[in-house]
Amino acid sequence: VQLQASGGGWVQTGGSLRLSCVASGLTLSAYNMAWFRQAPGKEREYVATIRWNGPSYYSRDSRKGRFTISRDNAKSTLYLQMNNLEPEDTAVYYCAAGSKTTIVSDMSSLHRYDYWGQGTLVTVSS
């Protein structure tokens, strides 16, 4: 199984980026897919999940409406559209795949995800 994240880069405050995560070795439609991020010197934190059957869930910060998680099962690709970026969004962003049996209340736990991508760095300058 391999998850390949891409799309990170440098952007100014207020800018947008779209992250992608291409999955190989697994059937994307059979997994809950998520994005996490890790800022320098901080723990990895939850961003959003899209369940195997479609519903999406966001962290409190992501629920401000700036981030949108989506998936294209035919392309085996997960996306994270990020708008109105802030310097506080600077981090390495990781995609992850987890069991579709995970209940909603557990989706923010990184321990509920079995496969991880290598991360893609997002830098937002002020």
Side-chain angles (χ1 to χ4, degrees):
V1 175
Q2 186 173 16
L3 300 177
Q4 184 70 41
S6 63
W10 179 89
V11 65
Q12 290 185 321
T13 296
S16 298
L17 284 173
R18 188 175 81 155
L19 307 183
S20 299
C21 174
V22 179
S24 58
L26 60 78
T27 302
L28 197 73
S29 59
Y31 288 83
N32 294 337
M33 299 297 296
W35 289 98
F36 287 76
R37 68 185 184 184
Q38 188 166 15
K42 295 187 177 181
E43 294 184 350
R44 194 168 299 190
E45 66 176 8
Y46 174 71
V47 175
T49 295
I50 184 165
R51 293 198 71 184
W52 66 278
N53 57 347
S56 55
Y57 303 87
Y58 297 88
S59 67
R60 179 173 297 181
D61 182 66
S62 300
R63 284 199 296 269
K64 294 178 181 178
R66 298 185 300 120
F67 293 178
T68 303
I69 189 171
S70 62
R71 63 197 296 165
D72 186 333
N73 291 332
K75 295 182 178 180
S76 293
T77 303
L78 173 73
Y79 301 100
L80 184 68
Q81 177 67 43
M82 304 187 295
N83 299 325
N84 195 22
L85 284 161
E86 304 168 351
E88 293 73 22
D89 296 317
T90 294
V92 177
Y93 284 71
Y94 297 90
C95 56
S99 171
K100 66 181 184 180
T101 63
T102 298
I103 60 176
V104 172
S105 59
D106 286 345
M107 285 184 181
S108 61
S109 170
L110 55 85
H111 301 292
R112 295 299 183 182
Y113 296 89
D114 303 308
Y115 305 106
W116 291 83
Q118 86 290 357
T120 185
L121 176 62
V122 172
T123 303
V124 184
S125 67
S126 57

